Amino acid sequence: MRRMIPILSLAAAMLLCALRIEASVHQYTGQRFAAKGNAFVIHGGSEGLHSSTPGLNDSSPDHSFIRFENIVFQRPLDLSNFSSQSIHAVVFEVNDRDSIGGSAYGGQRAVCCSADLAKLGVCKQGQIIYRPATNNPGWPQVFGVSFDVDATDATLEPSSLQITKTGMYNLYFIHCDPRLKEVYVEGNSVWKNPTGYLPGRMAPLMRFYGFMSLAFVLLGVFWFSQYARFWREVLPLQNCITLVITLGMFEMALWYFDYAEFNETGTRPTGITIWAVTFGTVKRTVARLVLLIVSMGYGVVRPTLGGLTSKVMLLGGTFFLATEVLEIIENVGTVSDRSGKARLFFVLPVAILDAFFILWIFTSLSSTLNKLQARRLTAKLDIYRKFTNALAIAVIVSVGWICYELYFKSNDVYNEQWQNAWIIPAFWQVLSFSLLCVICALWAPSKNSMRYAYSSVDAEEELYKDDTLKLIKPSTLIPKDVRSSESDSPTSGNASPQSDLEEEKND
């Protein structure tokens, strides 16, 4: 215990130091425009925003708004010898996306006014195309600024947009001037919901992690009370379960504080996010390793893993590294409400390792069940059958949810279902917690815990059975017709000595 105090103190100090690392709601630090069709675009942010009551001022806590702060476009000095066309900041709700851009004669849709569209008189060549939304008066909102001759900076006028309609809002910086290809943007935009700075898609997750923290506390109270009562009967497996519960409690609490800090200040605490990601990754890795070694019968039908230990640890270490990288990319510094866009390069290794875990777990379970049935260890066999059923149900439910998740994302390309998107990550937390509860119920510390442990008696019985089978050798069976022919033959070696003597006397 004394050794743990310095470690915990160091972890707390690192957490407090990282607490104030700030990342603006949407910060722009030298992003450059990318060509999209005939326009040049920078994505400035996407968030689900709930409407606020009309007439509220910016200082009202229930005010919902998007505000531009110190947004400056800059270009190199050697490209400043001309006055440019306008650079626009376009804000629109996702359902009004068709009001941006247009096409001539039913051709390809363009954001910038082309020569063909200019001939039709619907726009001015070189300007972006937009028109008022039919069901959302006053939107989209378009702001413009241009470079003067010899000017290297163009500052967008600070402004604040009040949100009076709930929806998924998008901000794009757009220009149509090919001469401005080296322009980049600095500054930030602040987005706020009536309940705080959390994006609408993330806001329900703060409450969810609060409930999950409470659930882990309740599970911990049950488990630790049983652990304290029957500490003399605790198995190594139960120590592993204790570690998983502890990691889960830390993970849920850290995620809650991560979202709470973000919601209160409008800044994403990078340090807390990294800690939450790391605790979650360690928990997932340890949980999978526990499932695997339980399936192998560790501590139940075998005292050690033997030569498999190094393979199990290698698989666990690889899974930890792959998952940690993926989660950091997905979560650290993320302030936008767009669905996860992690590259397949990072997602695929985790999926393959998960599939390998599942295959190895069920293969090992089959072998362990056969051993328990052959040895007639009914108590251990019963608990392993329940464990197998729970695991099979969890895998079936997971496959079904993956199919639903693919369907959900394929039909929500523009994140229009942002108010329900939080359910997808929440489901995986609930499923893993439910499986953990089942395992805790099956292997809870009790006065009878040791009857599930591997014992020398089981080993002696197995050795005795093996030795008995080796000593009992089957006799060679002689066919009946062969025996009868041998008994009838006069030259048979089975003829009695008395008959031979009689024959000699007669001679």
Side-chain angles (χ1 to χ4, degrees):
M1 185 66 182
R2 292 180 179 177
R3 294 180 180 179
M4 289 297 294
I5 293 176
I7 297 175
L8 294 175
S9 300
L10 178 61
M14 293 176 67
L15 183 60
L16 289 174
C17 291
L19 185 62
R20 298 310 305 172
I21 296 177
E22 295 188 354
S24 177
V25 174
H26 292 278
Q27 188 173 14
Y28 317 116
T29 55
Q31 283 90 337
R32 296 183 181 274
F33 287 85
K36 300 291 184 182
N38 67 343
F40 299 88
V41 179
I42 293 176
H43 177 247
S46 296
E47 286 195 17
L49 296 176
H50 293 274
S51 62
S52 58
T53 304
L56 294 177
N57 55 38
D58 291 354
S59 61
S60 174
D62 297 330
H63 186 51
S64 181
F65 61 83
I66 300 173
R67 186 170 63 234
F68 300 142
E69 294 183 349
N70 303 319
I71 294 180
V72 180
F73 301 98
Q74 297 182 340
R75 62 179 176 177
L77 181 61
D78 56 345
L79 297 176
S80 62
N81 58 350
F82 62 91
S83 59
S84 69
Q85 298 176 359
S86 295
I87 301 176
H88 297 90
V90 183
V91 184
F92 62 95
E93 203 272 324
V94 68
N95 291 321
D96 301 331
R97 60 185 179 275
D98 291 334
S99 62
I100 307 295
S103 61
Y105 313 111
Q108 185 177 4
R109 192 174 185 84
V111 174
C112 294
C113 185
S114 62
D116 292 334
L117 287 171
K119 290 177 182 179
L120 295 175
V122 297
C123 58
K124 182 179 178 181
Q125 187 173 358
Q127 297 295 318
I128 67 169
I129 306 169
Y130 69 95
R131 58 186 177 277
T134 56
N135 58 350
N136 194 7
W139 293 84
Q141 297 275 347
V142 180
F143 305 88
V145 64
S146 59
F147 287 97
D148 295 327
V149 178
D150 296 330
T152 58
D153 297 341
T155 302
L156 188 66
E157 184 179 352
S159 56
S160 181
L161 308 177
Q162 184 175 0
I163 304 302
T164 57
K165 179 185 176 183
T166 298
M168 172 64 69
Y169 286 85
N170 299 274
L171 167 62
Y172 285 91
F173 300 110
I174 306 173
H175 73 78
C176 305
D177 192 342
R179 298 173 299 173
L180 299 179
K181 60 182 180 180
E182 297 297 329
V183 171
Y184 57 92
V185 61
E186 300 278 351
N188 60 75
S189 60
V190 179
W191 307 52
K192 184 181 178 298
N193 266 295
T195 56
Y197 289 97
L198 265 180
R201 188 169 174 264
M202 299 181 186
L205 288 174
M206 184 179 71
R207 295 188 294 270
F208 169 75
Y209 284 118
F211 284 120
M212 286 301 298
S213 298
L214 179 61
F216 264 97
V217 168
L218 295 177
L219 178 62
V221 169
F222 162 75
W223 182 265
F224 293 134
S225 62
Q226 292 294 105
Y227 193 99
R229 287 178 59 192
F230 306 104
W231 63 273
R232 295 181 183 274
E233 308 293 328
V234 169
L235 306 175
L237 170 62
Q238 291 165 336
N239 289 327
C240 295
I241 296 174
T242 303
L243 176 60
V244 173
I245 294 174
T246 304
L247 290 170
M249 294 172 67
F250 275 102
E251 181 196 8
M252 295 300 109
L254 285 168
W255 277 124
Y256 175 79
F257 287 126
D258 176 57
Y259 285 118
E261 176 77 5
F262 188 9
N263 189 58
E264 182 67 24
T265 65
T267 61
R268 189 77 188 256
T270 306
I272 298 181
T273 307
I274 292 176
W275 278 105
V277 164
T278 303
F279 270 97
T281 303
V282 173
K283 187 201 75 174
R284 291 172 62 185
T285 304
V286 173
R288 281 160 175 75
L289 292 177
V290 169
L291 291 176
L292 182 57
I293 64 176
V294 169
S295 302
M296 290 178 172
Y298 170 70
V300 178
V301 297
R302 58 196 304 174
T304 65
L305 296 179
L308 295 174
T309 302
S310 58
K311 296 180 180 178
V312 171
M313 297 305 296
L314 178 62
L315 178 61
T318 306
F319 179 82
F320 171 80
L321 291 176
T323 307
E324 180 78 357
V325 171
L326 175 62
E327 292 296 320
I328 287 178
I329 292 174
E330 283 281 298
N331 294 283
V332 175
T334 300
V335 295
S336 181
D337 250 347
R338 302 175 81 181
S339 58
K341 303 294 182 182
R343 295 180 181 179
L344 184 65
F345 178 78
F346 298 105
V347 176
L348 194 58
V350 177
I352 293 174
L353 291 170
D354 260 331
F356 193 81
F357 261 116
I358 293 172
L359 181 62
W360 199 356
I361 285 171
F362 277 98
T363 302
S364 301
L365 267 177
S366 177
S367 176
T368 301
L369 287 172
N370 290 336
K371 288 181 181 179
L372 293 173
Q373 193 167 7
R375 298 179 187 181
R376 297 182 180 179
L377 302 174
T378 55
K380 297 179 180 179
L381 181 61
D382 180 62
I383 197 172
Y384 262 84
R385 282 175 174 168
K386 293 178 180 178
F387 171 67
T388 304
N389 292 337
L391 202 58
I393 292 173
V395 171
I396 293 172
V397 173
S398 297
V399 172
W401 189 257
I402 289 173
C403 294
Y404 171 76
E405 187 174 344
L406 292 174
Y407 169 80
F408 181 90
K409 291 185 176 181
S410 63
N411 288 276
D412 189 34
V413 179
Y414 300 104
N415 296 311
E416 297 174 86
Q417 301 296 323
W418 58 275
Q419 296 185 71
N420 301 321
W422 68 275
I423 298 174
I424 291 177
F427 172 83
W428 295 111
Q429 295 287 357
V430 172
L431 181 63
S432 63
F433 179 76
S434 301
L435 185 59
L436 179 60
C437 288
V438 171
I439 294 174
C440 288
L442 292 176
W443 272 284
S446 66
K447 61 182 179 181
N448 298 320
S449 293
M450 296 306 297
R451 70 175 179 173
Y452 300 117
Y454 177 84
S455 64
S456 58
V457 176
D458 295 339
E460 290 174 0
E461 288 181 357
E462 185 69 16
L463 182 62
Y464 174 77
K465 289 180 182 178
D466 293 341
D467 291 342
T468 303
L469 292 175
K470 291 178 182 178
L471 291 174
I472 301 175
K473 296 182 178 179
S475 60
T476 303
L477 296 178
I478 303 174
K480 184 176 181 181
D481 55 345
V482 174
R483 291 199 304 268
S484 61
S485 62
E486 288 178 354
S487 61
D488 294 341
S489 175
T491 60
S492 171
N494 294 333
S496 64
Q498 185 66 28
S499 61
D500 293 340
L501 289 174
E502 291 178 355
E503 290 180 358
E504 291 176 359
K505 290 178 179 180
N506 293 330
D507 292 343

